[in-house]
Amino acid sequence: MPDSAGSTATADPTTVDVAVLGGGICGLTLALELRQKVPGLSVTVVEKSVHPVKEATHKVGESTVEIQAHYLRDILGLGEHLESDQIRKFGLRMFFTYGDNEDIAKRVEYGQTGEAPLATYQLDRGRIENELGMRIQSAGATFETGTRVVDVALGTGDEPHSITVTKGGIERRLAARWVIDASGRASILKRQLGLQKSLPHEANSSWFRLEGPVDVDNWSDNAEWRDKVPSGKRRLSTNHLMGQGYWVWLIPLASGSTSVGVVADAKVHSFTSISTFEKTLAFLQVHEPQLAAHIVANREKLQDFRAMRDYAYGAERVFSGDRWCLTGEAGVSIDPLYSSGGDLMAISNGLITDLVARDHAGEDIGPLADIHDQVYLLVSDMWLLIYQDQFAVMGNAQVMVAKVLWDTMIYWAVPGTMYFHDQLRRMFQSPPILTGLVQIRTLHSRVEQFFREWSAIDNPVVSDHFADPYLFFGFFLELHEQMATDLSDGEFEDQLLKNVALLEQCAGQLGATVMDKLRDSTDPAVTAQLTRWRADKQLADLVNKYRVGAYPEPIDGSWITFGGPQARVPA
């Protein structure tokens, strides 16, 4: 039957167990995981782009943190590729606003000075997607590139789903038991099923790539500042330039390019202020002049540009017992800070693989699909709390250092530890773990609110300070290493309970330390906030429990005060 473009459909559909719509990093890693864990599955990936793609493909998602790195390296077996063809990341690094930002050495800096125990990576997206494309075919999956999805008709009951695709003017059908939407922001199934969900987080972004390095070490000839990172590896970090209502990323890529992105709160900086390259450059000239000067000097090396309005969104549902799922940005997209997208991709792919494997083995996966759906949406909601209404805090170095440490602690202590120990897909077997996750979500929400409240009344101008989390806090390093510690299920439950107690202790210490710091203030705004804090039962309980010494092992409170001696407050 010809369509409006004159294509012709073949009569008999190709039957497969799983059809994956989208062959970017999310769909390709899912296909590889499915073939590795259930070798008997027939898997077809449908991708509109022709492969191999350009090595340095312009896509967001170039920086990994621990969950995605573990997924790619240890679960999918990409360790050799990551070490030889990508860049080992030198951790998260942030520079907070000081004055006009003309001297990076004066800015409060957060970041490591030596290698972290668990490796993470900077990804050239085209390079890794080409590698994955070859690997899924070697693993026995079918990779249909240059192929566009025309229509998806979901089957009812035990009927297969029907997917109409077109390539080279020829239209054909796939009959699939499972259909997985990995189409990214196109969100084919989510739009079709009306599952779109707006999020209370409105931010915009623009990003581009420059040929060659952007080395922040070259922005200052201050020898003392340079020597704080003796390896000279600042450039290999995911560098963040933080300001009021915005942040900027700098990511080095193995192909030699540098990814540069601006992310801005829509309530503070309008989309039109960064909607074109010229406007983005003008924005940087005002807020980040050292970066802007480098861009102007290397203008001819600009490789591409893209801008995105209101990039965050959710989904009412992502997994269904009717044998369809959404994964990656086809379901939920929150914020690029802390590289949350790659972690959510790893988590969703693992939960989907579990459902497909159990169905293939003849299990009734209906109830489990509901549980996995709730778990995934709960975890993504915990991530949302990190960003929602928090961009105003980014201009406050004092509060942000504590916030970054808290965000990292909760990530390693809860979802990170759960993922490394394969507990998320087995949470239905342990109600106490699910209860603990809900408990942590409530605690996390109150602490993130506390950061906003603290920032609103206490924002000193500070400079000349360096906070290396691995050097200053023994418990911080232990949390990091603990993720990869081999624990039995019983040991894991005990460790999770200890982690919950540790986070409650840190939350109480945070409240107590800040309230003590501000108790002698005569500022009406401060005294009013102190009154509200003392009247807040949840916060008061956390603070009181901390003050009475309910926790046997004390924690160095310097994580709340820049990781050591107080930063210099200029006269």
Side-chain angles (χ1 to χ4, degrees):
M1 177 184 301
D3 66 7
S4 58
S7 62
T8 304
T10 57
D12 298 323
T14 301
T15 300
V16 297
D17 291 316
V18 183
V20 180
L21 313 183
I25 190 172
C26 190
L28 292 171
T29 50
L30 174 62
L32 185 58
E33 184 175 6
L34 287 168
R35 285 294 304 170
Q36 287 176 346
K37 294 188 176 178
V38 194
L41 280 177
S42 56
V43 179
T44 293
V45 178
V46 180
E47 167 57 31
K48 64 181 179 181
S49 299
V50 176
H51 268 236
V53 297
K54 290 172 57 179
E55 182 178 62
T57 297
H58 188 207
K59 292 185 178 182
V60 167
E62 296 151 322
S63 179
T64 70
V65 285
E66 286 80 9
I67 288 178
Q68 186 186 13
H70 174 57
Y71 179 59
L72 297 174
R73 179 187 59 242
D74 305 318
I75 294 177
L76 299 183
L78 289 165
E80 183 178 346
H81 170 80
L82 294 169
E83 291 292 342
S84 62
D85 295 314
Q86 305 291 346
I87 291 176
R88 183 178 283 218
K89 174 178 166 179
F90 197 59
L92 168 74
R93 190 169 306 278
M94 291 184 172
F95 298 93
F96 299 99
T97 288
Y98 174 72
D100 55 11
N101 288 337
E102 290 281 2
D103 184 358
I104 195 169
K106 289 289 186 182
R107 300 173 74 161
V108 171
E109 179 177 357
Y110 172 99
Q112 66 197 59
T113 55
E115 294 289 350
L118 301 179
T120 56
Y121 308 92
Q122 314 286 23
L123 301 179
D124 242 320
R125 284 289 299 275
R127 184 176 288 190
I128 195 169
E129 288 177 12
N130 286 336
E131 176 72 17
L132 286 165
M134 293 187 292
R135 291 200 181 208
I136 68 165
Q137 293 175 89
S138 296
T142 300
F143 191 19
E144 299 193 7
T145 67
T147 304
R148 183 173 59 86
V149 176
V150 176
D151 179 67
V152 180
L154 296 177
T156 57
D158 213 39
E159 295 178 350
H161 308 304
S162 178
I163 302 100
T164 304
V165 301
T166 182
K167 179 177 182 178
I170 303 298
E171 198 171 271
R172 50 187 288 270
R173 288 189 299 122
L174 300 174
R177 178 163 180 79
W178 283 85
V179 59
I180 312 298
D181 186 359
S183 63
R185 303 185 78 83
S187 301
I188 295 171
L189 275 184
K190 184 169 70 173
R191 295 178 191 277
Q192 179 175 319
L193 296 174
L195 296 173
Q196 301 96 321
K197 180 180 178 181
S198 61
L199 296 180
H201 174 52
E202 186 178 355
N204 308 307
S205 182
S206 65
W207 72 99
F208 55 92
R209 290 174 306 164
L210 289 174
E211 181 185 352
V214 179
D215 191 348
V216 296
D217 267 318
N218 293 334
W219 293 3
S220 175
D221 56 8
N222 184 317
E224 182 182 356
W225 175 78
R226 285 189 168 194
D227 289 345
K228 288 177 180 176
V229 185
S231 61
K233 287 185 176 181
R234 277 187 175 98
R235 184 183 70 84
L236 301 181
S237 298
T238 301
N239 283 293
H240 297 68
L241 309 177
M242 313 297 291
Q244 187 67 27
Y246 77 89
W247 62 277
V248 177
W249 78 68
L250 300 171
I251 302 174
L253 303 175
S255 57
S257 300
T258 300
S259 175
V260 182
V262 177
V263 184
D265 185 340
K267 297 187 293 294
V268 182
H269 306 284
S270 70
F271 177 66
T272 57
S273 68
I274 58 170
S275 58
T276 68
F277 173 74
E278 294 297 338
K279 290 179 178 180
T280 299
L281 179 56
F283 179 95
L284 293 173
Q285 286 172 324
V286 172
H287 299 285
E288 297 294 343
Q290 289 192 283
L291 173 58
H294 177 90
I295 295 168
V296 169
N298 294 273
R299 179 70 178 267
E300 74 283 358
K301 297 179 181 179
L302 179 68
Q303 295 175 310
D304 39 47
F305 176 84
R306 186 179 178 190
M308 188 176 297
R309 183 196 297 267
D310 195 15
Y311 53 72
Y313 52 80
E316 297 291 343
R317 187 179 187 92
V318 290
F319 307 143
S320 171
D322 293 327
R323 296 170 285 105
W324 58 261
C325 297
L326 319 177
T327 189
E329 288 191 337
V332 174
S333 172
I334 302 176
D335 200 277
L337 185 64
Y338 304 136
S339 306
S340 62
D343 285 352
L344 290 173
M345 173 198 82
I347 292 169
S348 63
N349 280 0
L351 294 173
I352 290 168
T353 298
D354 186 53
L355 291 173
V356 173
R358 290 174 183 274
D359 176 67
H360 192 68
E363 294 184 30
D364 176 11
I365 51 87
L368 185 59
D370 292 338
I371 294 171
H372 280 7
D373 183 72
Q374 293 170 27
V375 168
Y376 180 78
L377 293 178
L378 175 60
V379 170
S380 63
D381 182 60
M382 285 180 63
W383 253 287
L384 176 62
L385 294 172
I386 292 172
Y387 316 107
Q388 183 180 335
D389 299 323
Q390 299 297 78
F391 274 54
V393 182
M394 292 179 180
N396 188 328
Q398 171 183 247
V399 176
M400 272 301 295
V401 168
K403 173 175 159 51
V404 173
L405 286 163
W406 169 265
D407 293 342
T408 306
M409 285 190 288
I410 202 165
Y411 168 70
W412 289 346
V414 186
T417 299
M418 286 182 169
Y419 184 79
F420 270 72
H421 291 87
D422 194 24
Q423 291 291 334
L424 288 167
R425 73 177 182 89
R426 295 186 289 143
M427 196 172 294
F428 70 97
Q429 298 172 331
S430 180
I433 294 179
L434 181 57
T435 300
L437 189 61
V438 173
Q439 181 181 352
I440 284 296
R441 193 268 178 212
T442 302
L443 175 69
H444 184 37
S445 177
R446 184 63 190 93
V447 172
E448 293 293 346
Q449 179 185 337
F450 184 86
F451 288 130
R452 293 193 297 273
E453 295 164 344
W454 178 21
S455 181
I457 59 172
D458 187 23
N459 189 2
V461 177
V462 292
S463 68
D464 301 315
H465 192 74
F466 191 104
D468 181 339
Y470 295 99
L471 290 181
F472 288 127
F473 321 115
F475 76 94
F476 196 80
L477 181 60
E478 289 171 9
L479 272 178
H480 190 193
E481 294 176 327
Q482 167 208 294
M483 285 189 292
T485 302
D486 188 19
L487 301 175
S488 68
D489 286 351
E491 290 171 331
F492 171 81
E493 288 196 22
D494 290 342
Q495 186 62 60
L496 187 66
L497 291 175
K498 290 178 182 176
N499 289 354
V500 171
L502 173 67
L503 291 167
E504 289 181 337
Q505 180 179 3
C506 289
Q509 184 180 46
L510 173 68
T513 302
V514 173
M515 291 167 73
D516 286 347
K517 176 179 183 288
L518 300 174
R519 65 185 173 190
D520 294 329
S521 174
T522 58
D523 184 329
V526 175
T527 55
Q529 183 59 67
L530 287 170
T531 299
R532 288 192 292 270
W533 281 338
R534 294 180 185 119
D536 183 317
K537 186 179 186 307
Q538 182 185 6
L539 182 61
D541 287 347
L542 289 166
V543 170
N544 291 337
K545 191 174 180 182
Y546 170 75
R547 289 195 192 279
V548 299
Y551 304 98
E553 297 183 15
I555 292 174
D556 184 351
S558 64
W559 72 271
I560 305 164
T561 56
F562 290 98
Q566 181 66 44
R568 183 171 68 85
V569 181

